[in-house]
Amino acid sequence: MNQDWEDRVAAAWAAFDDYAEDDAGDFRAVIDALAAELPEDSPLGLFERACAWDSTGHSDKAVPLYREALDRGLSEVSRYKGRRAKIQLSSSLRNIGQAEEGVKLLTPELDGPSDELDDAVRACLALCLSSLGRDREGLSLVLGALAPHLPRYQRSMANYARLLVEPGE
């Protein structure tokens, strides 16, 4: 889509916190109006609508929209938004009791091209793993993500993260 549309979407999201919880429907209407400017089969519109449902506490309504956006090629239109959709879909799946599907969706992202969403992938995957009773694996991911950001102890924390999931530990 064009930059004007992207700017208006960004402005709508920047104003999200201005909406009271009781006004969630008004926020979703703003996003729906922006999505309606796109072709009906646009994965971008589906993604933004999914985000709006998700951000207003309706993971169940967001899940099918995220799936459809990904199925319609969101990752080809925008690799970044495609990755965001996978993260957010996994989180929503966890929220509705389908954490295993979230793990399956995010695990390949660990080996994908690196970007600023790497830590979000690990954090969300850790939550999905924890929901499945796989806390050591989740903690390992979180410590591994945190280690590079520490002013000291990066090597120690990275090693501890690795040892949490090595056989015999």
Side-chain angles (χ1 to χ4, degrees):
M1 195 58 204
N2 67 38
Q3 192 58 51
D4 174 65
W5 185 86
E6 292 285 352
D7 290 345
R8 289 184 291 128
V9 168
W13 281 104
F16 176 71
D17 288 334
D18 297 341
Y19 289 84
E21 197 170 312
D22 293 342
D23 297 329
D26 294 339
F27 175 75
R28 289 191 304 268
V30 169
I31 296 299
D32 283 343
L34 288 163
E37 295 177 22
L38 301 173
E40 190 174 315
D41 63 347
S42 170
L44 292 172
L46 292 164
F47 171 69
E48 294 299 339
R49 290 180 55 228
C51 293
W53 280 108
D54 205 2
S55 296
T56 57
H58 295 278
S59 295
D60 59 323
K61 295 187 187 295
V63 165
L65 293 169
Y66 284 134
R67 284 184 173 143
E68 190 173 352
L70 289 166
D71 288 347
R72 291 187 186 213
L74 180 62
S75 295
E76 287 75 43
V77 172
S78 168
R79 181 187 175 284
Y80 182 79
K81 287 186 180 184
R83 198 164 196 220
R84 280 185 52 206
K86 291 174 187 176
I87 293 165
Q88 293 166 206
L89 173 56
S90 294
S91 177
S92 293
L93 288 165
R94 184 185 78 83
N95 289 339
I96 63 171
Q98 298 176 22
E100 184 66 43
E101 190 174 344
V103 169
K104 288 177 185 172
L105 185 64
L106 278 185
T107 299
E109 290 297 311
L110 295 173
D111 297 323
S114 182
D115 63 18
E116 67 188 52
L117 295 173
D118 289 352
D119 292 342
V121 166
R122 285 170 176 76
C124 188
L125 182 53
L127 287 169
C128 288
L129 289 166
S130 181
S131 291
L132 296 170
R134 295 165 58 184
D135 295 323
R136 288 178 67 93
E137 289 174 75
L139 180 58
S140 174
L141 284 170
V142 171
L143 284 176
L146 177 63
H149 304 284
L150 298 174
R152 297 189 50 87
Y153 316 111
Q154 296 94 347
R155 187 181 327 179
S156 297
M157 286 301 132
N159 284 331
Y160 292 144
R162 181 181 44 78
L163 291 171
L164 281 167
V165 293
E166 281 190 355
E169 295 300 316

